Amino acid sequence: MREPAFWYRPRSPKSHLLSPLGALYGAITARRMARKGFDAGIPVICVGNYHVGGAGKTPTVLALTKLLRELGETPVVLSRGYGGRLKGPVMVDRERHTAADIGDEPLMMVRDVPVAVARDRLEGVALAKSQGATVILMDDGFQNPRLLKDTSLIVIDSERGLGNGKVFPAGPLRAPLRAQLARTDALVLIGDGHAADDVAAELAKRNKPQLRARLKPDAASLAQLFGKPVFAFAGIGDPERFFRTLCTSGIQVARTRAFADHHMFSDNEIAALGAEASREQLTLVTTEKDLARLRGRAGIPDGIVPFAVQLEFDEPARLRQLISDHLYKARERRFSAR
């Protein structure tokens, strides 16, 4: 679905009318979140967000993958495989699977880290452990109580924040904010904005750390696009953030086209994008996640450039210490319980 515009307006009649449904949905979700989850037997780090839509979870997972390997760990990502038809459990195989099978995010991440897709989180844990995982990285699932999380890192786009602060469908929140704050171990603020400063201040009162990070474009992507007018398209949680990143990176964005999150492009849409770009002599550029959904499709226009980004933390040493401490405490807790 595409996010309703009224979610990011301070006042809206639609939001007001939907507030009773949001209160009911929020009460049910908060009650579910309070359940005790299954202990995986190894540390579980969850990368989630408070709201519906994109915030930067996937780049955060990949950044943590690199850090965990530096710490001598063997991480395996556990994903629900949103948008894919396979229920799992299955280890993602880039040569065998498509986004229609296991979702776009797992297909994108598997280039850098083993990914287990499973609708049932416990079956996914068993599969990840069979692959030699010493740490499970959960991509999303913060509100799902099925699995005990040793550490929950919440990602927020500092430019957008949490919109009107209401619970779905009246707003973008997946559960009441207070219930989510209580289960947060650290906050990752992406970008230089101030839309999430109130959330950061509330977590500071609870002595929960906040970490600043920024999406940095890949040098190879920049080199491919430098000096060329581009036609940018994206079907992610926040396409406008992608378009802004291109502009701030010095890319000449002549035209943009936004689609709904996880949009599965039709043959006609693909052909129309290619024809428009060719007619106006523009280079097509999209996100790595969108390109993952196009992979293996017939009729894909030649020369689509994936704009790769990496997440860089302002204080990498602080992140390293945070993760190290949480891993130690997770293992100490399990050892003491024997």
Side-chain angles (χ1 to χ4, degrees):
M1 66 175 276
R2 184 170 291 178
E3 295 178 346
F6 71 82
W7 279 2
Y8 288 87
R9 294 174 186 156
R11 293 184 181 180
S12 165
K14 291 180 181 179
S15 179
H16 180 72
L17 288 172
L18 291 170
S19 289
L21 282 176
L24 177 61
Y25 181 86
I28 293 171
T29 307
R31 191 176 305 143
R32 287 182 69 244
M33 289 180 67
R35 296 175 188 168
K36 186 176 180 179
F38 175 80
D39 190 338
I42 60 175
V44 174
I45 299 174
C46 176
V47 178
N49 55 16
Y50 294 143
H51 62 291
V52 176
K57 293 189 303 295
T58 301
T60 304
V61 168
L62 294 175
L64 289 175
T65 294
K66 181 180 178 181
L67 171 58
L68 287 167
R69 285 176 172 156
E70 290 172 358
L71 293 172
E73 304 288 347
T74 304
V76 172
V77 170
L78 176 58
S79 171
R80 184 178 179 275
Y82 182 85
R85 63 178 182 82
L86 297 181
K87 294 182 179 179
V90 60
M91 294 302 298
V92 177
D93 184 337
R94 191 170 171 82
E95 299 303 318
R96 184 162 58 96
H97 294 130
T98 66
D101 296 325
I102 44 79
D104 50 13
E105 290 162 350
L107 196 62
M108 173 185 161
M109 290 187 291
V110 77
R111 294 176 308 174
D112 300 293
V113 58
V115 181
V117 163
R119 302 284 172 85
D120 186 318
R121 309 276 179 175
L122 303 192
E123 291 182 354
V125 166
L127 179 59
K129 292 174 73 173
S130 75
Q131 302 298 306
T134 62
V135 178
I136 290 175
L137 268 174
M138 282 185 69
D139 180 29
D140 212 355
F142 174 63
Q143 293 81 11
N144 190 310
R146 184 82 162 137
L147 187 60
L148 184 150
K149 294 98 173 168
D150 294 285
T151 308
S152 290
L153 274 65
I154 299 300
V155 181
I156 296 182
D157 183 334
S158 67
E159 300 286 345
R160 302 183 79 207
L162 301 178
N164 62 15
K166 295 183 180 293
V167 177
F168 179 89
L173 293 187
R174 297 182 177 189
L177 185 58
R178 181 172 296 182
Q180 301 195 82
L181 289 171
R183 291 165 177 79
T184 301
D185 294 299
L187 186 68
V188 177
L189 293 157
I190 297 182
D192 297 312
H194 299 283
D197 285 359
D198 54 344
V199 178
E202 185 60 37
L203 285 170
K205 294 177 185 176
R206 302 167 186 244
N207 295 317
K208 303 296 183 180
Q210 295 96 50
L211 299 160
R212 284 274 179 183
R214 287 163 184 78
L215 291 170
K216 298 291 185 180
D218 178 72
S221 296
L222 287 176
Q224 282 185 279
L225 298 170
F226 184 74
K228 300 176 182 177
V230 305
F231 181 1
F233 69 97
I236 56 175
D238 184 8
E240 293 301 324
R241 182 180 63 184
F242 170 58
F243 303 148
R244 287 196 305 271
T245 301
L246 288 171
C247 291
T248 57
S249 300
I251 305 302
Q252 183 185 342
V253 180
R255 189 174 293 277
T256 64
R257 186 71 49 80
F259 297 87
D261 195 13
H262 299 284
H263 180 73
M264 296 302 291
F265 297 93
S266 69
D267 291 342
N268 287 339
E269 287 170 333
I270 295 170
L273 288 168
E276 190 170 347
S278 177
R279 184 169 59 252
E280 301 187 24
Q281 296 184 314
L282 303 175
T283 298
L284 279 172
V285 58
T286 192
T287 69
E288 289 187 298
K289 193 181 297 186
D290 284 291
L291 197 63
R293 291 197 300 281
L294 293 172
R295 188 172 171 271
R297 296 277 300 275
I300 303 300
D302 292 332
I304 297 180
V305 177
F307 191 72
V309 295
Q310 291 183 336
L311 191 67
E312 292 185 1
F313 285 82
D314 289 2
E315 301 176 277
R318 188 165 172 240
L319 174 67
R320 184 186 184 94
Q321 189 62 56
L322 173 72
I323 296 301
S324 296
D325 289 347
H326 278 267
L327 290 175
Y328 175 81
K329 290 175 183 176
R331 290 180 171 126
E332 182 183 46
R333 178 179 61 78
R334 289 180 174 88
F335 181 80
S336 300
R338 290 178 181 175

Coordinates of all heavy atoms in Angstrom, one line a residue, residues 52 88 128 146 166 199 235 237 249-250 275-276 305:
V52 N 4.7 1.9 10.2 CA 4.5 1.2 8.9 C 5.4 1.9 7.9 O 5.5 3.2 8.0 CB 3.1 1.2 8.5 CG1 2.9 0.6 7.1 CG2 2.2 0.5 9.5
G88 N 8.3 -20.9 3.8 CA 9.6 -21.3 4.5 C 9.3 -22.4 5.5 O 8.2 -22.9 5.6
A128 N 18.3 -21.2 10.9 CA 19.5 -20.4 11.0 C 20.5 -21.0 11.9 O 21.7 -21.0 11.5 CB 19.1 -19.0 11.7
R146 N 6.6 -13.6 19.1 CA 6.9 -15.1 19.0 C 8.3 -15.4 19.5 O 8.5 -16.5 20.1 CB 6.7 -15.4 17.5 CG 6.9 -16.9 17.2 CD 5.6 -17.7 17.5 NE 5.7 -19.0 16.8 CZ 5.3 -20.1 17.4 NH1 4.8 -20.1 18.6 NH2 5.3 -21.2 16.7
K166 N -0.2 8.7 15.6 CA -1.4 7.8 15.9 C -1.2 6.4 15.4 O -0.3 6.2 14.5 CB -2.6 8.4 15.2 CG -3.1 9.8 15.8 CD -4.3 10.3 15.2 CE -4.8 11.6 15.8 NZ -5.1 11.5 17.2
V199 N 11.1 11.8 20.5 CA 11.2 10.3 20.8 C 12.6 10.1 21.4 O 12.7 9.4 22.4 CB 11.1 9.5 19.5 CG1 11.3 8.0 19.8 CG2 9.7 9.7 18.9
G235 N 9.8 2.0 -5.7 CA 8.6 1.4 -5.0 C 9.0 1.0 -3.6 O 9.1 -0.2 -3.3
G237 N 9.2 2.3 0.9 CA 8.4 2.9 1.9 C 8.4 4.4 1.8 O 7.4 5.1 2.1
S249 N 23.3 14.1 -3.6 CA 24.6 13.4 -4.0 C 25.1 14.0 -5.3 O 26.1 13.5 -5.8 CB 24.4 11.9 -4.2 OG 23.9 11.3 -3.0
G250 N 24.4 15.0 -5.8 CA 24.9 15.7 -7.0 C 24.4 15.1 -8.3 O 24.9 15.4 -9.4
A275 N 10.4 3.3 -22.2 CA 10.1 4.1 -23.4 C 10.3 5.6 -23.0 O 10.8 6.4 -23.8 CB 8.7 3.8 -23.8
E276 N 9.8 6.0 -21.8 CA 9.9 7.4 -21.4 C 11.3 7.8 -21.3 O 11.7 8.9 -21.7 CB 9.1 7.6 -20.1 CG 8.9 9.1 -19.8 CD 7.9 9.2 -18.6 OE1 7.2 8.3 -18.3 OE2 7.9 10.4 -18.1
V305 N 20.4 1.6 -13.7 CA 21.5 1.7 -12.7 C 20.9 1.6 -11.3 O 20.1 2.4 -10.9 CB 22.3 3.0 -12.8 CG1 23.3 3.2 -11.8 CG2 22.8 3.2 -14.2

